[in-house]
Amino acid sequence: MSKTIVITGGAGFIGSHVVRLFVTKYPSYQIVNLDALTYAGNLENIRDIEKSPNYNFEKQNILDVEGLDALFAKYNPDGVIHLAAESHVDRSIVSPLDFVYTNVIGTVNLLNAAKKAWQGSFQDRRFYHVSTDEVYGALGQTGFFTESTRYDPHSPYSASKAASDHFVRAYHDTYSLPIVLSNCSNNYGPYHFPEKLIPLFINNIIQKKPLPVYGDGLYTRDWLFVKDHALAIDLVFHQGKPGETYNIGGFNEWKNIELVKLLCKLMDEKLGNSPGTSEKLITYVKDRPGHDRRYAIDATKISSELGWKPSVTFEQGLGLTIDWYLENTEWLKHVTSGEYQQYYTKQYQS
Ligand code: NAD
Ligand code: TYD
């Protein structure tokens, strides 16, 4: 069956994997990549599929209401998969309002555009909002986030994502908009912007720069290979029940310091360094304010209802990721020039 789907944030990290999956797996669909190309958006991330006949790119900011209406009129999409966001916790601590604008107001603009364009005719329409496990706040040593865990965000990033989730559900309850939502754990993989832990540390090991571990390094995250998240998004988009939420996670918890040591070991092997070389770069630095101690997802619902599970182990995924960064030094050079240098100096050398 033919469909037209608008994917927002398709030039970013996760969005580029979702766009690639949909363009290649569904040749009968028209895929519209809507992206404002902020510092995190990069058309190099989807260069390999940009000539596909079912791929369309629209440079569009979700804060521009008229632009969104015009885009919905032009394409009359059957579905929206919304990933565009400001996504980095550290940047949200410095500039919270940017997160309110894009993540909250931008999401409401998109909901309004869909509601207006679809004019109450919701048969076979779908608005899919992609969110994060960070909305649930922090766990202690035990327990997992389920779909019914109470929201308790602590960073401006997670607060803005929590607000956007509430608006998406409100549009379902108030206007019957056929929404579906997922909350996922930390992703890693190719095309990850090197401001987040794993790509930042891979880049710093290549550059022989210090590896800045926040606080005591005992913070825990659940890591998922980005291509497995894209496959989960495909399932939720096509088979998720309207109005429902699905938690997505890797069943893969790591304390930051243990993860960094594994990364150092794998990097030493790939680079032909003697064992222990990269670990010497580990430097404990001032903690992140409001730092959540532990995230862990219970992904039973998506697993039992939709049959999803991660396809690679963490060691496999991390190996693939490191290989990709070592083979794509030009990409890394491009994204770490310009604004990135100013960001890095401000964040780590002040
Ligand atoms: P990213 O920062 O790599 O990409 C965000 C994309 O959105 C970029 O291409 C950017 O240009 C675009 N964008 C930003 N502001 C925009 C605006 N105002 N209008 C239009 N486009 C705009 O983010 P990501 O890591 O790929 O995350 C994608 C989504 O997944 C986000 O909603 C994020 O909250 C969610 N998420 C991320 C993770 C993770 O580990 N990265 C985990 C769970 C959920
Ligand atoms: P990050 O990749 O920013 O993802 P999130 O904050 O969304 O979980 O950070 C992952 C973990 O790594 C988090 O506990 C913070 C920590 N961290 C560091 O210790 N040093 C760093 O330089 C960065 C960017 C993160």
Side-chain angles (χ1 to χ4, degrees):
M1 202 180 76
S2 166
K3 277 183 196 294
T4 300
I5 302 170
V6 169
I7 300 178
T8 74
F13 166 47
I14 302 171
S16 64
H17 289 275
V18 177
V19 166
R20 179 175 297 102
L21 177 67
F22 274 67
V23 164
T24 52
K25 184 170 174 187
Y26 301 108
S28 66
Y29 289 11
Q30 280 299 318
I31 302 302
V32 182
N33 175 9
L34 182 170
D35 199 296
L37 300 181
T38 68
Y39 80 94
N42 180 0
L43 290 177
E44 281 184 62
N45 295 359
I46 33 181
R47 192 105 303 157
D48 53 321
I49 50 97
E50 71 184 357
K51 297 222 161 56
S52 307
N54 63 337
Y55 173 74
N56 308 269
F57 175 70
E58 294 282 347
K59 186 169 189 297
Q60 175 67 55
N61 197 309
I62 56 172
L63 293 173
D64 170 5
V65 171
E66 284 172 11
L68 286 181
D69 285 345
L71 193 142
F72 272 72
K74 178 174 171 188
Y75 289 101
N76 185 24
D78 304 285
V80 175
I81 306 180
H82 176 36
L83 296 109
E86 288 292 340
S87 69
H88 187 36
V89 174
D90 291 327
R91 288 188 192 249
S92 82
I93 294 167
V94 179
S95 310
L97 259 184
D98 291 344
F99 287 68
V100 176
Y101 287 131
T102 286
N103 298 359
V104 187
I105 298 173
T107 299
V108 176
N109 286 343
L110 207 57
L111 286 162
N112 282 338
K115 175 171 160 280
K116 190 167 161 190
W118 294 340
Q119 294 180 354
S121 165
F122 295 147
Q123 184 78 23
D124 297 325
R125 310 277 197 189
R126 175 143 295 199
F127 188 106
Y128 180 0
H129 180 58
V130 175
S131 193
T132 167
D133 62 354
E134 306 196 21
V135 297
Y136 297 123
L139 290 163
Q141 304 239 323
T142 57
F144 295 90
F145 298 134
T146 71
E147 288 79 2
S148 56
T149 301
R150 190 175 163 272
Y151 275 29
D152 185 21
H154 297 125
S155 74
Y157 165 64
S158 53
S160 69
K161 289 298 290 188
S164 66
D165 292 8
H166 290 315
F167 271 105
V168 172
R169 293 196 182 98
Y171 271 58
H172 173 262
D173 297 349
T174 308
Y175 308 112
S176 306
L177 200 75
I179 65 100
V180 70
L181 225 143
S182 60
N183 295 83
C184 188
S185 63
N186 286 60
N187 286 214
Y188 70 95
Y191 301 108
H192 205 184
F193 193 77
E195 63 183 356
K196 310 276 172 68
L197 182 76
I198 290 179
L200 178 80
F201 281 28
I202 291 175
N203 188 36
N204 283 15
I205 291 171
I206 295 171
Q207 312 275 331
K208 302 187 174 59
K209 278 164 65 172
L211 305 177
V213 173
Y214 293 160
D216 61 8
L218 300 177
Y219 294 87
T220 301
R221 298 290 182 266
D222 168 4
W223 293 92
L224 177 67
F225 192 51
V226 63
K227 291 185 187 183
D228 281 326
H229 188 189
L231 290 169
I233 288 174
D234 179 19
L235 273 180
V236 172
F237 179 75
H238 287 101
Q239 294 174 35
K241 292 198 199 94
E244 292 284 317
T245 295
Y246 297 84
N247 278 358
I248 305 170
F251 305 97
N252 180 40
E253 284 184 55
W254 285 82
K255 288 194 170 53
N256 289 343
I257 190 62
E258 299 304 330
L259 186 161
V260 170
K261 285 183 179 165
L262 172 65
L263 189 63
C264 287
K265 178 174 153 282
L266 294 174
M267 286 293 288
D268 283 343
E269 285 166 12
K270 304 261 186 200
L271 292 169
N273 293 335
S274 53
T277 306
S278 299
E279 269 200 32
K280 292 197 190 100
L281 297 170
I282 294 174
T283 313
Y284 287 91
V285 299
K286 174 170 102 231
D287 209 350
R288 171 190 279 174
H291 199 168
D292 288 329
R293 196 63 168 166
R294 176 171 165 259
Y295 300 145
I297 279 276
D298 177 349
T300 306
K301 179 175 171 182
I302 186 169
S303 172
S304 60
E305 288 187 16
L306 304 185
W308 174 87
K309 64 175 173 31
S311 68
V312 294
T313 65
F314 191 46
E315 290 234 1
Q316 286 168 333
L318 210 47
L320 290 169
T321 304
I322 294 170
D323 288 343
W324 186 87
Y325 279 89
L326 293 177
E327 282 159 17
N328 288 275
T329 45
E330 276 304 305
W331 180 92
L332 203 48
K333 230 185 264 168
H334 292 170
V335 300
T336 53
S337 61
E339 194 266 355
Y340 181 83
Q341 296 302 332
Q342 290 157 31
Y343 160 78
Y344 196 90
T345 308
K346 221 166 151 194
Q347 178 68 17
Y348 294 104
Q349 277 147 39
S350 55

